[in-house]
């Protein structure tokens, strides 16, 4: 979270001493006695391992003796914290009910209070004082693990590899602490490759806990190996399945779970959606200094899980079955999950340039996001941003902080129609940004990595430059293919809801659809995927939260 240059200002601003106290607070006798009713006492002996990395774990409140927390790195164990009497273990994975990134072991014999994950969730929902202490400590501890750039997940990759970037984005956006080593700049990578009998051609490689070697793994394989997801209980019919964990889906999950509904969230990639790829969102209410998409998503995710929403990342919805109720979704790993209602919040995917060799350079010089992960790859070189919307404007301003020069290419004649005035002004004031209007990319050239770009401006000859980094911020198309034609869409592929539905879309039904309801009763659509929605974070969050009231009406009918 704090890895973002423009990110988690609250944490960055905390003085070191107060940050340490908030990260490892001591509970008062009154707080300890409130907790007693929620846990079981366990006598401990020195050397006893309470949790191994990757294991689901309860919270341990130390009553006497001590418990050490260590990170298992390739160089052995690194002490992260020592919990003594009155202190408690855990970090965000404890609340999420997923694998721990650390080992917890008793140093001095004594006793701990063992508080199971469900009890812990009940405490944070009902005891505001303890909730604030636990959540703040958990977020700060996870942030410290990320900052320490150590951990039991090591990514060995190359700056020229698209798959390396994919895995960096996946781990970073899941706020999972990992060590990032690149062949091009770190001599230790070759030693590690030899030690683990891996060839350069196998890169990227993820080493899990120093024992499991994953060669060029998918996001799903990494998530499974690192214990990021719990098993899904496919036998249960939930009140609601939310598909997509962008701002709209996360808002729906927070409101639905906080109002007592049983909610499962499925997310193809990582929480945050398009917003998660924004370096700095400045127009979202309540964040006058702006907030990175990553920080916003991380906060929303922990909020949803605090209320008990089950969230599965790297877990796609592949097909909707809505012929009968309860509705079912075929998801990744051949699982089928069912629910009485569904909210589709699958947003949109990035539009391509439609150049023949474009896919070859995706992640190897062509990017659809401009966060610090991508910016690191550009160093101080000259870069291109394509697009005329706010996402392009933000990317140009952000990249201009570190890149020598930013060329902003836009195919229309004016930025004012599509970009906010504050960004247009900021671009005009930034001397190392040049705006090229009525300009389009004509060709991309390079071998393994993008090396040269040719663009064409109206009524001028094409211009070629040795530029290896292009950011495509050219809008998006709705993610609706997985719906299999059962949900009514408009001509652009966006989902019709409420009064936007045509008479022929509607199935025989006894009532008019709710404002955010699709042609299938009990199936809703919110955020960017919905026809007529305002493509903004605040609008997506508003629709996701408002939709829950309509879900209640369907469930109560
Ligand atoms: C770089 C960038 C910067 C932006 N900056 C701003 C800004 O400053 N201010 C602003 O107001 N707006 C901004 N926007 C727009 C804003 O991010 C979007 O309007 C908002 O994210 C839409 O939210 P959503 O939840 O509807 O969809 P999305 O954010 O698109 O999220 C949809 C989620 O669904 C998941 N998904 C898709 N298909 C499936 C499937 N089959 N199964 C499971 N999961 C699936 C996707 O992986 C994704 O995580 C920006 C957009 C971009 C790209």
């Amino acid at each position: 979270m704090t890895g973002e240059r423009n990110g988690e200002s609250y944490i960055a601003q905390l003085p070191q001493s107060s940050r340490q106290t908030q990260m490892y607070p001591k509970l008062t006798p009154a707080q300890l006695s409130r907790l007693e009713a929620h846990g079981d006492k366990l006598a401990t002996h020195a050397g006893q391992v309470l949790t191994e990395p990757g294991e689901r774990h309860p919270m341990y409140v130390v009553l006497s003796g001590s418990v050490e927390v260590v990170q298992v790195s390739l160089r052995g164990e690194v002490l992260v914290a020592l919990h003594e009497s009155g202190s408690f273990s855990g970090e965000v994975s404890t609340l999420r009910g997923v694998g721990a990134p650390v080992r917890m072991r008793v140093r001095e014999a004594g006793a701990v209070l063992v508080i199971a994950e469900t009890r812990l969730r009940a405490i944070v929902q009902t005891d505001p004082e303890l909730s604030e202490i636990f959540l703040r400590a958990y977020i700060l501890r996870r942030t410290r693990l990320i900052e320490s750039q150590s951990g039991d997940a090591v990514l060995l990759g190359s700056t020229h590899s698209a798959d390396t970037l994919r895995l960096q984005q996946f781990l970073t956006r899941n706020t999972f602490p990992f060590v990032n080593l690149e062949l091009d700049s770190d001599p230790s990578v070759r030693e590690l490759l030899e030690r683990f009998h891996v060839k350069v051609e196998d890169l990227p490689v993820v080493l899990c806990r120093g024992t499991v070697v994953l060669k060029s793994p998918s996001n799903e394989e990494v998530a499974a190996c690192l214990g990021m997801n719990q098993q899904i209980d496919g036998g249960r019919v939930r009140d609601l399945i939310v598909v997509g964990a962008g701002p709209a889906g996360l808002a729906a999950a927070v409101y639905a779970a906080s109002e007592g509904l049983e909610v499962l969230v499925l997310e193809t990639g990582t929480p945050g959606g398009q917003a998660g790829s924004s370096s700095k969102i400045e127009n979202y209410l309540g964040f006058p200094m702006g907030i990175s998409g990553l920080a916003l998503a991380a906060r929303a995710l922990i909020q949803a899980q605090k209320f008990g929403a089950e969230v599965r990342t790297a877990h796609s919805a592949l097909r909707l079955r809505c012929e009968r109720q309860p509705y079912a979704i075929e998801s990744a790993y051949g699982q089928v999950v069912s629910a009485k209602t569904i909210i589709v919040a699958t947003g949109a995917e990035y539009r391509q340039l439609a150049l023949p060799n474009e896919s070859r350079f995706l992640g190897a010089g062509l990017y659809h996001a401009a966060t610090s992960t991508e910016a690191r790859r550009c160093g101080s070189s000259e870069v291109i941003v394509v697009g005329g919307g706010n996402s392009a404007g933000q990317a140009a301003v952000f990249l201009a902080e570190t890149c020598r020069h930013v060329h902003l290419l836009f195919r229309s004649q004016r930025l004012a129609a599509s970009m906010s005035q504050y960004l247009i002004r900021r671009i005009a004031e930034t001397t190392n940004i040049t705006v090229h209007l009525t300009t389009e990319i004509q060709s991309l050239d390079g071998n393994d990595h993008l090396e040269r770009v040719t663009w064409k401006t109206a009524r001028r000859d094409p211009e070629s430059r040795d530029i290896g980094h292009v950011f495509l911020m050219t809008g998006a198309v709705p993610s609706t293919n997985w719906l299999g034609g059962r949900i009514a869409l408009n001509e652009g592929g966006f989902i019709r809801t409420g009064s936007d539905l045509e008479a022929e879309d509607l199935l025989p039904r006894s009532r008019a659809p709710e404002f955010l309801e699709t042609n299938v009763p009990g199936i809703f659509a919110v955020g960017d995927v919905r026809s007529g929605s305002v493509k903004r974070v605040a609008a997506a969050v508003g629709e996701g939260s408002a939709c829950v009231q309509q879900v209640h009406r369907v469930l109560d009918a």
Side-chain angles (χ1 to χ4, degrees), residues 373-421:
T373 308
E374 295 78 20
R376 249 196 324 270
R377 294 196 150 203
C378 305
S380 60
S381 48
E382 197 172 357
V383 302
I384 294 173
V385 173
V386 183
N390 279 358
S391 56
Q394 282 171 12
V397 171
F398 173 67
L399 292 164
E401 290 173 23
T402 46
C403 294
R404 191 167 67 251
H405 203 91
V406 179
H407 297 275
L408 179 61
L409 273 50
F410 184 41
R411 64 174 174 200
S412 297
Q413 290 179 339
R414 290 172 63 239
L415 281 177
S418 50
M419 195 182 286
S420 298
Q421 271 307 318

Short mmCIF file of all heavy atoms in Angstrom, two decimals, residues 373-421:
data_model
loop_
_atom_site.label_atom_id
_atom_site.label_comp_id
_atom_site.label_asym_id
_atom_site.label_seq_id
_atom_site.Cartn_x
_atom_site.Cartn_y
_atom_site.Cartn_z
N THR A 373 4.31 0.50 -10.32
CA THR A 373 4.85 -0.76 -10.87
C THR A 373 5.32 -0.54 -12.31
O THR A 373 6.42 -0.94 -12.69
CB THR A 373 3.78 -1.87 -10.84
OG1 THR A 373 3.24 -1.93 -9.53
CG2 THR A 373 4.32 -3.21 -11.24
N GLU A 374 4.47 0.10 -13.13
CA GLU A 374 4.84 0.33 -14.54
C GLU A 374 5.88 1.44 -14.63
O GLU A 374 6.82 1.35 -15.43
CB GLU A 374 3.62 0.70 -15.38
CG GLU A 374 2.56 -0.39 -15.51
CD GLU A 374 1.69 -0.53 -14.27
OE1 GLU A 374 1.64 0.43 -13.47
OE2 GLU A 374 1.08 -1.60 -14.07
N ALA A 375 5.72 2.49 -13.81
CA ALA A 375 6.63 3.64 -13.90
C ALA A 375 8.07 3.21 -13.64
O ALA A 375 9.00 3.72 -14.25
CB ALA A 375 6.20 4.72 -12.92
N ARG A 376 8.25 2.25 -12.72
CA ARG A 376 9.61 1.76 -12.41
C ARG A 376 10.29 1.22 -13.67
O ARG A 376 11.48 1.37 -13.85
CB ARG A 376 9.51 0.64 -11.37
CG ARG A 376 10.06 1.02 -10.03
CD ARG A 376 10.33 -0.15 -9.12
NE ARG A 376 9.39 -1.24 -9.20
CZ ARG A 376 8.29 -1.34 -8.46
NH1 ARG A 376 7.98 -0.40 -7.60
NH2 ARG A 376 7.50 -2.38 -8.59
N ARG A 377 9.50 0.60 -14.54
CA ARG A 377 10.07 0.01 -15.76
C ARG A 377 10.58 1.09 -16.72
O ARG A 377 11.44 0.83 -17.54
CB ARG A 377 9.02 -0.81 -16.50
CG ARG A 377 8.60 -2.01 -15.74
CD ARG A 377 7.88 -2.98 -16.62
NE ARG A 377 8.12 -4.32 -16.11
CZ ARG A 377 8.03 -5.43 -16.80
NH1 ARG A 377 7.70 -5.38 -18.06
NH2 ARG A 377 8.28 -6.58 -16.25
N CYS A 378 9.96 2.28 -16.66
CA CYS A 378 10.32 3.32 -17.62
C CYS A 378 11.56 4.09 -17.19
O CYS A 378 12.21 4.73 -18.00
CB CYS A 378 9.17 4.33 -17.76
SG CYS A 378 7.63 3.57 -18.19
N GLY A 379 11.88 4.06 -15.91
CA GLY A 379 13.01 4.85 -15.41
C GLY A 379 12.80 6.30 -15.79
O GLY A 379 11.71 6.86 -15.59
N SER A 380 13.82 6.93 -16.40
CA SER A 380 13.68 8.35 -16.76
C SER A 380 13.49 8.51 -18.27
O SER A 380 13.71 9.58 -18.82
CB SER A 380 14.93 9.10 -16.31
OG SER A 380 16.05 8.53 -16.95
N SER A 381 13.09 7.43 -18.97
CA SER A 381 13.03 7.53 -20.43
C SER A 381 11.83 8.35 -20.93
O SER A 381 10.98 8.77 -20.16
CB SER A 381 13.01 6.13 -21.04
OG SER A 381 12.07 5.35 -20.39
N GLU A 382 11.81 8.55 -22.24
CA GLU A 382 10.72 9.29 -22.90
C GLU A 382 9.56 8.31 -23.11
O GLU A 382 9.80 7.16 -23.53
CB GLU A 382 11.27 9.74 -24.26
CG GLU A 382 10.53 10.81 -24.95
CD GLU A 382 11.31 11.27 -26.21
OE1 GLU A 382 12.43 10.77 -26.46
OE2 GLU A 382 10.78 12.12 -26.92
N VAL A 383 8.33 8.72 -22.82
CA VAL A 383 7.21 7.78 -22.93
C VAL A 383 6.04 8.42 -23.68
O VAL A 383 6.01 9.64 -23.86
CB VAL A 383 6.70 7.31 -21.54
CG1 VAL A 383 7.80 6.64 -20.74
CG2 VAL A 383 6.10 8.46 -20.75
N ILE A 384 5.11 7.57 -24.10
CA ILE A 384 3.90 8.05 -24.78
C ILE A 384 2.67 7.64 -23.96
O ILE A 384 2.61 6.51 -23.47
CB ILE A 384 3.78 7.42 -26.19
CG1 ILE A 384 4.93 7.92 -27.08
CG2 ILE A 384 2.43 7.72 -26.83
CD1 ILE A 384 4.99 7.22 -28.43
N VAL A 385 1.73 8.56 -23.83
CA VAL A 385 0.42 8.21 -23.26
C VAL A 385 -0.60 8.44 -24.37
O VAL A 385 -0.58 9.50 -25.01
CB VAL A 385 0.10 9.09 -22.03
CG1 VAL A 385 -1.32 8.83 -21.55
CG2 VAL A 385 1.10 8.84 -20.91
N VAL A 386 -1.47 7.47 -24.60
CA VAL A 386 -2.48 7.61 -25.65
C VAL A 386 -3.86 7.75 -25.00
O VAL A 386 -4.22 6.92 -24.14
CB VAL A 386 -2.49 6.38 -26.58
CG1 VAL A 386 -3.50 6.58 -27.72
CG2 VAL A 386 -1.11 6.13 -27.15
N GLY A 387 -4.62 8.77 -25.37
CA GLY A 387 -5.97 8.93 -24.84
C GLY A 387 -6.27 10.37 -24.49
O GLY A 387 -5.35 11.18 -24.33
N GLY A 388 -7.56 10.66 -24.36
CA GLY A 388 -7.94 12.04 -24.06
C GLY A 388 -8.86 12.15 -22.86
O GLY A 388 -9.42 13.21 -22.59
N GLY A 389 -9.00 11.06 -22.12
CA GLY A 389 -9.86 11.09 -20.94
C GLY A 389 -9.06 11.40 -19.68
O GLY A 389 -7.85 11.61 -19.73
N ASN A 390 -9.77 11.37 -18.54
CA ASN A 390 -9.08 11.67 -17.28
C ASN A 390 -7.99 10.66 -16.96
O ASN A 390 -6.96 11.01 -16.40
CB ASN A 390 -10.09 11.68 -16.12
CG ASN A 390 -10.83 13.00 -16.06
OD1 ASN A 390 -10.55 13.90 -16.86
ND2 ASN A 390 -11.75 13.13 -15.15
N SER A 391 -8.20 9.37 -17.34
CA SER A 391 -7.17 8.39 -17.03
C SER A 391 -5.88 8.71 -17.78
O SER A 391 -4.78 8.57 -17.24
CB SER A 391 -7.66 6.97 -17.34
OG SER A 391 -8.06 6.89 -18.68
N ALA A 392 -6.00 9.21 -19.03
CA ALA A 392 -4.80 9.58 -19.79
C ALA A 392 -4.14 10.81 -19.17
O ALA A 392 -2.91 10.87 -19.03
CB ALA A 392 -5.18 9.86 -21.24
N GLY A 393 -4.96 11.78 -18.78
CA GLY A 393 -4.42 12.99 -18.15
C GLY A 393 -3.66 12.67 -16.87
O GLY A 393 -2.55 13.13 -16.64
N GLN A 394 -4.28 11.81 -16.04
CA GLN A 394 -3.61 11.43 -14.78
C GLN A 394 -2.30 10.72 -15.05
O GLN A 394 -1.29 10.97 -14.40
CB GLN A 394 -4.48 10.44 -14.01
CG GLN A 394 -5.63 11.03 -13.29
CD GLN A 394 -6.53 9.90 -12.77
OE1 GLN A 394 -6.16 8.73 -12.78
NE2 GLN A 394 -7.70 10.28 -12.33
N ALA A 395 -2.34 9.81 -16.03
CA ALA A 395 -1.13 9.04 -16.34
C ALA A 395 -0.02 9.98 -16.80
O ALA A 395 1.14 9.86 -16.37
CB ALA A 395 -1.43 8.01 -17.42
N ALA A 396 -0.36 10.96 -17.67
CA ALA A 396 0.66 11.88 -18.19
C ALA A 396 1.29 12.67 -17.05
O ALA A 396 2.52 12.77 -16.94
CB ALA A 396 0.03 12.81 -19.22
N VAL A 397 0.46 13.20 -16.16
CA VAL A 397 0.97 14.02 -15.06
C VAL A 397 1.83 13.16 -14.12
O VAL A 397 2.91 13.56 -13.69
CB VAL A 397 -0.21 14.67 -14.29
CG1 VAL A 397 0.27 15.33 -13.01
CG2 VAL A 397 -0.93 15.66 -15.19
N PHE A 398 1.37 11.96 -13.85
CA PHE A 398 2.09 11.06 -12.94
C PHE A 398 3.46 10.68 -13.53
O PHE A 398 4.49 10.75 -12.87
CB PHE A 398 1.22 9.82 -12.71
CG PHE A 398 1.89 8.71 -11.94
CD1 PHE A 398 2.23 8.88 -10.61
CD2 PHE A 398 2.20 7.50 -12.55
CE1 PHE A 398 2.84 7.86 -9.90
CE2 PHE A 398 2.81 6.48 -11.86
CZ PHE A 398 3.12 6.66 -10.52
N LEU A 399 3.46 10.30 -14.81
CA LEU A 399 4.71 9.84 -15.43
C LEU A 399 5.69 10.99 -15.61
O LEU A 399 6.92 10.79 -15.57
CB LEU A 399 4.41 9.17 -16.78
CG LEU A 399 3.65 7.84 -16.65
CD1 LEU A 399 3.04 7.43 -17.98
CD2 LEU A 399 4.58 6.74 -16.13
N ALA A 400 5.16 12.20 -15.78
CA ALA A 400 6.05 13.36 -15.96
C ALA A 400 6.91 13.61 -14.72
O ALA A 400 7.95 14.27 -14.81
CB ALA A 400 5.23 14.60 -16.30
N GLU A 401 6.50 13.06 -13.57
CA GLU A 401 7.31 13.24 -12.35
C GLU A 401 8.66 12.54 -12.48
O GLU A 401 9.64 12.96 -11.88
CB GLU A 401 6.58 12.65 -11.14
CG GLU A 401 5.36 13.42 -10.71
CD GLU A 401 4.62 12.67 -9.60
OE1 GLU A 401 5.22 11.84 -8.89
OE2 GLU A 401 3.40 12.92 -9.48
N THR A 402 8.71 11.44 -13.22
CA THR A 402 9.96 10.66 -13.27
C THR A 402 10.52 10.51 -14.68
O THR A 402 11.71 10.27 -14.84
CB THR A 402 9.71 9.24 -12.70
OG1 THR A 402 8.51 8.73 -13.28
CG2 THR A 402 9.61 9.25 -11.20
N CYS A 403 9.66 10.63 -15.69
CA CYS A 403 10.15 10.40 -17.06
C CYS A 403 10.68 11.70 -17.65
O CYS A 403 10.21 12.78 -17.31
CB CYS A 403 9.01 9.87 -17.92
SG CYS A 403 8.50 8.23 -17.40
N ARG A 404 11.65 11.54 -18.58
CA ARG A 404 12.27 12.73 -19.20
C ARG A 404 11.21 13.56 -19.94
O ARG A 404 11.12 14.75 -19.77
CB ARG A 404 13.36 12.25 -20.16
CG ARG A 404 14.24 13.35 -20.65
CD ARG A 404 15.49 12.84 -21.34
NE ARG A 404 15.21 12.15 -22.59
CZ ARG A 404 15.34 10.82 -22.78
NH1 ARG A 404 15.74 10.06 -21.79
NH2 ARG A 404 15.08 10.25 -23.94
N HIS A 405 10.42 12.86 -20.75
CA HIS A 405 9.39 13.58 -21.50
C HIS A 405 8.17 12.67 -21.72
O HIS A 405 8.33 11.48 -21.93
CB HIS A 405 9.94 14.06 -22.84
CG HIS A 405 9.16 15.22 -23.37
ND1 HIS A 405 9.49 16.53 -23.11
CD2 HIS A 405 8.02 15.27 -24.10
CE1 HIS A 405 8.58 17.33 -23.66
NE2 HIS A 405 7.68 16.58 -24.27
N VAL A 406 6.99 13.27 -21.68
CA VAL A 406 5.76 12.52 -21.92
C VAL A 406 5.06 13.12 -23.13
O VAL A 406 4.81 14.33 -23.17
CB VAL A 406 4.81 12.59 -20.70
CG1 VAL A 406 3.52 11.83 -20.98
CG2 VAL A 406 5.49 12.05 -19.45
N HIS A 407 4.77 12.27 -24.14
CA HIS A 407 3.99 12.72 -25.30
C HIS A 407 2.57 12.22 -25.09
O HIS A 407 2.35 11.02 -24.97
CB HIS A 407 4.55 12.11 -26.58
CG HIS A 407 5.96 12.54 -26.86
ND1 HIS A 407 6.28 13.70 -27.51
CD2 HIS A 407 7.14 11.95 -26.53
CE1 HIS A 407 7.59 13.81 -27.59
NE2 HIS A 407 8.14 12.77 -27.00
N LEU A 408 1.62 13.13 -25.06
CA LEU A 408 0.22 12.74 -24.89
C LEU A 408 -0.44 12.79 -26.27
O LEU A 408 -0.59 13.86 -26.86
CB LEU A 408 -0.47 13.70 -23.90
CG LEU A 408 -1.95 13.45 -23.64
CD1 LEU A 408 -2.20 12.08 -23.04
CD2 LEU A 408 -2.49 14.52 -22.68
N LEU A 409 -0.83 11.62 -26.79
CA LEU A 409 -1.40 11.52 -28.14
C LEU A 409 -2.92 11.36 -28.04
O LEU A 409 -3.40 10.46 -27.33
CB LEU A 409 -0.83 10.30 -28.86
CG LEU A 409 0.49 10.43 -29.63
CD1 LEU A 409 1.57 11.08 -28.83
CD2 LEU A 409 0.95 9.05 -30.12
N PHE A 410 -3.65 12.20 -28.77
CA PHE A 410 -5.11 12.14 -28.71
C PHE A 410 -5.65 12.34 -30.12
O PHE A 410 -5.22 13.24 -30.84
CB PHE A 410 -5.62 13.24 -27.76
CG PHE A 410 -7.10 13.22 -27.54
CD1 PHE A 410 -7.78 12.02 -27.37
CD2 PHE A 410 -7.83 14.39 -27.48
CE1 PHE A 410 -9.15 11.99 -27.16
CE2 PHE A 410 -9.20 14.38 -27.27
CZ PHE A 410 -9.86 13.18 -27.11
N ARG A 411 -6.62 11.51 -30.52
CA ARG A 411 -7.01 11.57 -31.93
C ARG A 411 -7.98 12.71 -32.25
O ARG A 411 -8.16 13.04 -33.41
CB ARG A 411 -7.54 10.23 -32.40
CG ARG A 411 -8.78 9.79 -31.73
CD ARG A 411 -9.29 8.54 -32.36
NE ARG A 411 -10.42 8.09 -31.57
CZ ARG A 411 -10.88 6.89 -31.56
NH1 ARG A 411 -10.32 5.98 -32.30
NH2 ARG A 411 -11.91 6.58 -30.81
N SER A 412 -8.61 13.31 -31.26
CA SER A 412 -9.54 14.42 -31.55
C SER A 412 -8.82 15.77 -31.50
O SER A 412 -7.63 15.84 -31.22
CB SER A 412 -10.67 14.41 -30.54
OG SER A 412 -11.38 13.22 -30.70
N GLN A 413 -9.63 16.82 -31.73
CA GLN A 413 -9.02 18.15 -31.83
C GLN A 413 -8.94 18.90 -30.52
O GLN A 413 -8.21 19.87 -30.40
CB GLN A 413 -9.83 19.00 -32.82
CG GLN A 413 -9.66 18.51 -34.24
CD GLN A 413 -10.46 19.32 -35.22
OE1 GLN A 413 -11.41 19.99 -34.84
NE2 GLN A 413 -10.08 19.26 -36.48
N ARG A 414 -9.75 18.47 -29.53
CA ARG A 414 -9.77 19.21 -28.26
C ARG A 414 -9.79 18.23 -27.10
O ARG A 414 -10.48 17.21 -27.14
CB ARG A 414 -11.05 20.05 -28.16
CG ARG A 414 -11.10 21.23 -29.09
CD ARG A 414 -12.48 21.89 -29.06
NE ARG A 414 -12.81 22.44 -27.75
CZ ARG A 414 -13.86 22.07 -27.04
NH1 ARG A 414 -14.69 21.16 -27.47
NH2 ARG A 414 -14.10 22.62 -25.87
N LEU A 415 -9.05 18.56 -26.04
CA LEU A 415 -9.09 17.72 -24.84
C LEU A 415 -10.29 18.06 -23.98
O LEU A 415 -10.80 17.22 -23.23
CB LEU A 415 -7.83 17.96 -23.99
CG LEU A 415 -6.53 17.27 -24.41
CD1 LEU A 415 -5.40 17.70 -23.49
CD2 LEU A 415 -6.68 15.75 -24.35
N ALA A 416 -10.75 19.32 -24.10
CA ALA A 416 -11.75 19.83 -23.15
C ALA A 416 -13.02 19.00 -23.12
O ALA A 416 -13.69 18.92 -22.08
CB ALA A 416 -12.07 21.27 -23.49
N ALA A 417 -13.38 18.36 -24.24
CA ALA A 417 -14.64 17.61 -24.27
C ALA A 417 -14.57 16.35 -23.42
O ALA A 417 -15.59 15.83 -22.97
CB ALA A 417 -14.95 17.25 -25.72
N SER A 418 -13.37 15.82 -23.17
CA SER A 418 -13.29 14.52 -22.50
C SER A 418 -12.47 14.54 -21.21
O SER A 418 -12.52 13.58 -20.45
CB SER A 418 -12.66 13.50 -23.46
OG SER A 418 -11.47 14.02 -24.01
N MET A 419 -11.73 15.61 -20.95
CA MET A 419 -10.86 15.61 -19.76
C MET A 419 -11.24 16.74 -18.81
O MET A 419 -11.64 17.82 -19.25
CB MET A 419 -9.40 15.79 -20.22
CG MET A 419 -8.38 15.46 -19.17
SD MET A 419 -6.67 15.74 -19.73
CE MET A 419 -6.39 14.38 -20.83
N SER A 420 -11.11 16.49 -17.50
CA SER A 420 -11.46 17.51 -16.51
C SER A 420 -10.50 18.71 -16.63
O SER A 420 -9.32 18.53 -16.91
CB SER A 420 -11.36 16.96 -15.10
OG SER A 420 -12.26 15.91 -14.94
N GLN A 421 -11.07 19.89 -16.35
CA GLN A 421 -10.27 21.13 -16.48
C GLN A 421 -9.02 21.12 -15.60
O GLN A 421 -7.97 21.59 -16.00
CB GLN A 421 -11.14 22.35 -16.10
CG GLN A 421 -11.90 22.95 -17.27
CD GLN A 421 -10.99 23.29 -18.46
OE1 GLN A 421 -9.90 23.81 -18.30
NE2 GLN A 421 -11.44 22.95 -19.66
#
